[in-house]
Amino acid sequence: MSHLSEIFGSNVFNDSIMRERLPKATYKSIRKTIDEGLPLTLEIAEVVSSCMKDWAIEKGATHYTHWFQPMTGITAEKHDAFINPTEDGKVILEFSGKELIKGEADGSSFPSGGLRVTFEARGYTAWDCTSPAFIKNNTLYIPTAFCSYTGETLDKKTPLLRSMECLSKNAVRVLRLFGNEKVSKVTSTVGPEQEYFLIDKKLYDKRKDLIFTGRTLFGAKAPKGQEMEDHYYGSIKERVSAFMKDLDDELWKLGISAKTEHNEVAPAQHELAPIFTTANIATDHNQLTMELLKSVALRHGLVCLLHEKPFAGVNGSGKHNNWSLSTNDGQNLLDPGKTPHENAQFLIFLCAVIKAVDEYADLLRLAAGNPGNDHRLGANEAPPAIISIFLGDELTKILDQIAAGEDISANKAGKLTVGVSTLPALPKDTTDRNRTSPFAFTGNKFEFRMVGSSASIASSNFFLNTIVAEVLEQFADRIEKSGDLDTEVNNIIKEVVKKNGRIIFNGNGYSEDWVAEAEKRGLPNIKSYVEAIKCLMDEKNLSVMEKHKVFSRVEMHSRYEISLEKYIKTINIEALTMLEMSRRQILPAAISFGAQVANSINQIKSCGIDADISANAELLQEVAALTAQLKKEITLLDEKVAKAQEPDQDTFSQAMYYRTEVFVQMGRLRAAADKLECIVDAKLWPFPTYADILFNI
Ligand code: ADP
Ligand code: MG
């Protein structure tokens, strides 16, 4: 057996382990529970838990944990040992069905956006049996959903599971109308491509900004950046290659199918792509991938930076969320079919995505937002903050022709409308790529390219699933009511092209012209994350999430508060770190350098010769002026941070103040410091520079 097939999934309590180890009847029940999304009964859980415990203990596990995804965006776990004390002072190894399906967590320290008052701080976790349990660091991990005792969601998994359910329900309805009686479940599939930076740990340790905020808050451009285009797909350096090999092993053991790894555009930047799977497993796997990227890097003396913009002036990192719909008999619903009938079905699903993305662009913009991604979106390295869809010229043309009532049937039989039975084969073009589009159709899936590298992909997918479910429901209602599939499909396509066609844009998304054109088309251009958060309170968004039971209004409100608070805290930490570094490291370095130059002038003068000291004098002037500027910007930032924390403001205004005042002032302080970095004696500069960090490995 090859190394890969030996280790792949070896630490996962997966289907084949269950089939092998569970009694036949239990295996059948749990399979049914997973496939049909039924609630897990305690009876099955008792058998599964005991089997799971034995398997885990054989593999060396001593603890178990209900692993969940609170609103912090990272994962949380509380470890319990399998042991239970007995009366004779010994212990037995125990893990009951109840412990498998339900855990208790004191959730008081997790963000809840006011959902729970502290005396009701308890939350509970419930096993998501559609995502398999696994072993990591001698602990059995049970993927779980996290709720408050009153049932409100406190995590990112619950809404994702709910959104998958409503999407399945409505997609199956549409398939039935197309005469498909077999399919009983439709799942959203996701393959997230993950970008990251790798830097030397010794250099990382010398920078407080990297330690506290994950990004550099200061740093002049290195003489070399990414302009030579020599890093992209470049040969992978030995140290990085050893890291990647180690990482692959760890991922494979957990059944994560890491497939491609390559160097990205910026120096020290890399990418990893797994093979796609169901949206909830992909989300769990992406969280694990991010954790492993960090922990495996440390073993190699490296630090993995997942921040969206760790270095100014070179590309930042994102995550491409590839998304499609798959039936339980293996059809990809976004794959243009071979027969006219399949084509029509494909076009309906395609139109559902187009309409959903146009009508709820604000929710997707929000899903892609976080404080880090504000540095990227619309900054000519990542898609603009304007959502648009790339379809490719051919597909766009076909939609336009159908909308115009033109005959596009293969046999040109003279029919003016395109019925289900007359559609020609659709182009299967996967090469036609537009790297500047935020939401691109890539042949058989959509690629949502705005997502930030550090973000959980849960929200991108729960919003996407829900809004597509909503439109599919509308389509199903219409087709049902009309009773004539052919005519109604035609009407729907026409209407979507007319009403939502504005969202389709096949040109260069980075160009200035597009910004103007998008405005003309009435597409929203939500420039900052804080502004994007506001859409959580829009009636249309509240009602669509409520209607499909993904979020209640209360839950949406709590997420609004949590998101704003997260923004405020992030910028506050960044500002305080800047103040600390500039006061205690940069300013002293600048002053020392000034003194050094001043001394040189005095020393030359004291020699009593008539030497030209104009260079020294000029430099001293320059250093003194920049030092004064730096001090001024420090004082201003200090004042703004104090003002930002004044009590009695609503959270939105406070977040906006951080964005328009504190964040902007941070830019000014940085500019002054970066200018100093360019003239101060390198020996005096208090931390490693971009040149040191980016070209070290
Ligand atoms: P790129 O050219 O953008 O690097 P690839 O075609 O290699 O893209 O695929 C990128 C990602 O898309 C991979 O993670 C892949 O598994 C995923 N992907 C492919 N097909 C689907 C699908 N039907 N649903 C979801 N993701 C998919
Ligand atoms: Mg991609």
Side-chain angles (χ1 to χ4, degrees):
M1 228 194 303
S2 75
H3 174 64
L4 173 56
S5 55
E6 210 169 289
I7 66 167
F8 193 83
S10 59
N11 284 347
V12 185
F13 193 72
N14 55 22
D15 187 70
S16 64
I17 299 282
M18 287 200 288
R19 193 196 309 243
E20 187 187 307
R21 303 179 70 127
L22 285 172
K24 243 197 180 116
T26 315
Y27 172 73
K28 262 193 170 159
S29 315
I30 183 101
R31 202 55 266 168
K32 202 168 146 73
T33 308
I34 294 170
D35 293 342
E36 294 175 21
L38 305 170
L40 187 67
T41 64
L42 196 55
E43 205 187 329
I44 308 175
E46 285 296 355
V47 186
V48 177
S49 66
S50 139
C51 174
M52 202 187 260
K53 180 198 72 186
D54 293 344
W55 170 81
I57 289 169
E58 275 169 40
K59 295 218 152 256
T62 50
H63 288 69
Y64 68 90
T65 178
H66 283 233
W67 181 65
F68 57 103
Q69 304 178 16
M71 294 296 299
T72 52
I74 52 174
T75 60
E77 48 199 73
K78 172 181 156 240
H79 293 208
D80 283 306
F82 281 122
I83 52 172
N84 253 7
T86 57
E87 276 177 9
D88 55 1
K90 293 198 176 136
V91 290
I92 50 164
L93 297 174
E94 258 193 10
F95 180 55
S96 68
K98 230 162 115 200
E99 280 163 319
L100 170 64
I101 49 180
K102 209 163 190 179
E104 270 203 39
D106 175 5
S108 56
S109 300
F110 292 110
S112 76
L115 267 185
R116 287 159 310 145
V117 270
T118 349
F119 65 81
E120 239 301 23
R122 283 178 314 163
Y124 71 85
T125 52
W127 183 32
D128 161 24
C129 61
T130 58
S131 180
F134 56 89
I135 295 173
K136 197 166 74 97
N137 302 334
N138 297 330
T139 300
L140 172 69
Y141 279 72
I142 302 156
T144 52
F146 177 42
C147 298
S148 75
Y149 253 84
T150 42
E152 281 101 3
T153 65
L154 297 170
D155 71 345
K156 295 189 177 234
K157 184 185 265 281
T158 314
L160 180 62
L161 293 172
R162 291 175 179 171
S163 74
M164 290 172 75
E165 212 173 298
C166 72
L167 180 63
S168 177
K169 191 176 99 199
N170 290 297
V172 169
R173 258 187 85 196
V174 169
L175 290 176
R176 287 281 182 279
L177 293 166
F178 274 88
N180 186 326
E181 295 297 331
K182 283 200 323 270
V183 169
S184 57
K185 191 173 165 187
V186 170
T187 312
S188 53
T189 52
V190 171
E193 300 162 66
Q194 174 76 49
E195 290 180 337
Y196 59 94
F197 279 83
L198 278 182
I199 64 169
D200 193 296
K201 169 97 167 47
K202 287 198 282 297
L203 300 175
Y204 169 91
D205 286 339
K206 292 186 179 141
R207 291 200 58 136
K208 291 205 166 65
D209 47 4
L210 285 174
I211 293 172
F212 293 136
T213 73
R215 74 175 178 107
T216 53
L217 299 167
F218 299 101
K221 258 185 104 163
K224 184 181 177 205
Q226 61 194 44
E227 60 279 75
M228 301 297 281
E229 295 170 354
D230 53 356
H231 194 256
Y232 191 51
Y233 280 98
S235 66
I236 298 176
K237 305 244 173 60
E238 235 170 75
R239 194 167 167 200
V240 174
S241 160
F243 155 81
M244 284 180 176
K245 194 172 161 298
D246 209 1
L247 175 70
D248 278 344
D249 274 1
E250 294 296 338
L251 292 170
W252 290 340
K253 279 191 228 162
L254 295 179
I256 301 172
S257 50
K259 190 167 159 66
T260 55
E261 267 156 283
H262 63 78
N263 286 358
E264 258 301 325
V265 174
Q269 193 185 27
H270 306 276
E271 183 187 288
L272 179 150
I275 296 173
F276 71 95
T277 171
T278 65
N280 73 316
I281 295 182
T283 304
D284 287 358
H285 281 181
N286 184 247
Q287 294 290 351
L288 284 170
T289 301
M290 290 196 284
E291 282 175 34
L292 284 167
L293 276 164
K294 291 192 163 220
S295 60
V296 175
L298 288 176
R299 285 187 215 156
H300 293 260
L302 298 165
V303 172
C304 170
L305 302 176
L306 292 172
H307 193 283
E308 285 72 18
K309 192 74 180 177
F311 303 99
V314 294
N315 275 9
S317 300
K319 190 136 54 187
H320 291 175
N321 188 82
N322 293 275
W323 178 93
S324 191
L325 295 169
S326 169
T327 63
N328 58 336
D329 61 358
Q331 262 185 80
N332 178 351
L333 295 175
L334 291 177
D335 201 349
K338 288 189 197 69
T339 64
H341 187 81
E342 285 172 352
N343 287 171
Q345 185 185 297
F346 160 76
L347 287 176
I348 279 296
F349 281 96
L350 185 77
C351 283
V353 178
I354 294 171
K355 185 169 157 75
V357 172
D358 181 41
E359 290 178 2
Y360 297 95
D362 50 353
L363 281 178
L364 293 177
R365 165 66 183 88
L366 167 70
N370 69 10
N373 231 4
D374 270 0
H375 298 275
R376 292 177 71 238
L377 299 177
N380 271 337
E381 56 160 72
I386 308 160
I387 307 255
S388 66
I389 295 179
F390 169 85
L391 273 192
D393 292 335
E394 280 189 81
L395 207 47
T396 309
K397 201 169 123 206
I398 288 175
L399 286 181
D400 287 342
Q401 284 173 330
I402 297 174
E406 281 174 33
D407 176 18
I408 62 158
S409 61
N411 57 13
K412 302 266 173 217
K415 265 197 170 180
L416 274 183
T417 55
V418 179
V420 168
S421 51
T422 57
L423 271 178
L426 294 176
K428 258 198 178 169
D429 189 2
T430 54
T431 53
D432 194 4
R433 292 296 178 89
N434 177 333
R435 316 302 304 189
T436 64
S437 172
F439 202 90
F441 182 66
T442 54
N444 59 5
K445 61 184 187 292
F446 277 98
E447 186 169 349
F448 184 29
R449 301 212 182 97
M450 287 167 87
V451 185
S453 51
S454 71
S456 157
I457 54 170
S459 46
S460 295
N461 291 301
F462 64 62
F463 283 132
L464 195 50
N465 289 344
T466 312
I467 61 180
V468 172
E470 162 64 22
V471 177
L472 287 173
E473 183 175 85
Q474 294 171 15
F475 288 179
D477 287 347
R478 281 179 64 167
I479 299 171
E480 249 168 37
K481 209 163 146 216
S482 116
D484 176 351
L485 182 68
D486 242 43
T487 314
E488 205 49 39
V489 166
N490 246 296
N491 290 343
I492 288 174
I493 296 173
K494 278 185 189 159
E495 201 180 292
V496 167
V497 173
K498 198 162 148 232
K499 283 202 185 143
N500 310 105
R502 61 176 190 165
I503 197 83
I504 299 169
F505 176 64
N506 295 325
N508 178 7
Y510 292 178
S511 70
E512 283 298 317
D513 296 352
W514 169 232
V515 178
E517 164 71 17
E519 196 180 336
K520 246 194 268 158
R521 293 189 189 186
L523 298 176
N525 183 1
I526 306 170
K527 294 207 175 76
S528 76
Y529 177 48
V530 180
E531 289 158 276
I533 294 170
K534 227 160 86 185
C535 82
L536 278 169
M537 290 291 96
D538 280 2
E539 182 50 37
K540 108 184 136 67
N541 297 333
L542 287 166
S543 69
V544 75
M545 300 312 282
E546 183 181 45
K547 178 177 169 197
H548 295 281
K549 302 195 170 55
V550 175
F551 284 131
S552 67
R553 282 167 190 260
V554 175
E555 287 168 344
M556 287 281 272
H557 193 263
S558 103
R559 266 151 225 258
Y560 168 79
E561 287 288 329
I562 291 170
S563 308
L564 290 172
E565 276 164 20
K566 188 174 159 197
Y567 181 81
I568 290 168
K569 285 177 191 161
T570 305
I571 305 299
N572 195 53
I573 292 170
E574 288 186 350
L576 294 182
T577 306
M578 277 194 114
L579 287 171
E580 157 92 13
M581 288 173 80
S582 51
R583 279 198 186 113
R584 301 191 52 209
Q585 295 185 290
I586 302 173
L587 194 58
I591 290 172
S592 298
F593 183 56
Q596 188 177 305
V597 181
N599 278 339
S600 77
I601 295 173
N602 284 337
Q603 280 168 6
I604 297 169
K605 277 190 180 158
S606 69
C607 292
I609 56 162
D610 185 21
D612 179 0
I613 52 166
S614 62
N616 310 47
E618 237 173 73
L619 182 57
L620 184 57
Q621 293 283 11
E622 207 181 332
V623 176
L626 280 174
T627 309
Q629 177 80 20
L630 181 80
K631 183 70 181 66
K632 193 184 107 204
E633 306 296 4
I634 291 174
T635 308
L636 277 173
L637 181 59
D638 202 23
E639 285 166 11
K640 286 183 196 279
V641 170
K643 185 137 190 276
Q645 284 161 344
E646 276 171 15
D648 297 331
Q649 315 174 51
D650 67 277
T651 329
F652 184 79
S653 320
Q654 192 184 10
M656 243 358 230
Y657 186 85
Y658 269 98
R659 167 73 198 174
T660 56
E661 297 293 328
V662 178
F663 183 74
V664 171
Q665 180 57 27
M666 283 163 58
R668 295 197 185 110
L669 172 53
R670 177 184 182 137
D674 290 356
K675 278 191 202 144
L676 274 164
E677 187 194 315
C678 297
I679 58 166
V680 168
D681 185 345
K683 289 196 289 295
L684 292 175
W685 200 249
F687 40 74
T689 63
Y690 276 23
D692 299 329
I693 298 173
L694 286 170
F695 298 93
N696 174 275
I697 299 166

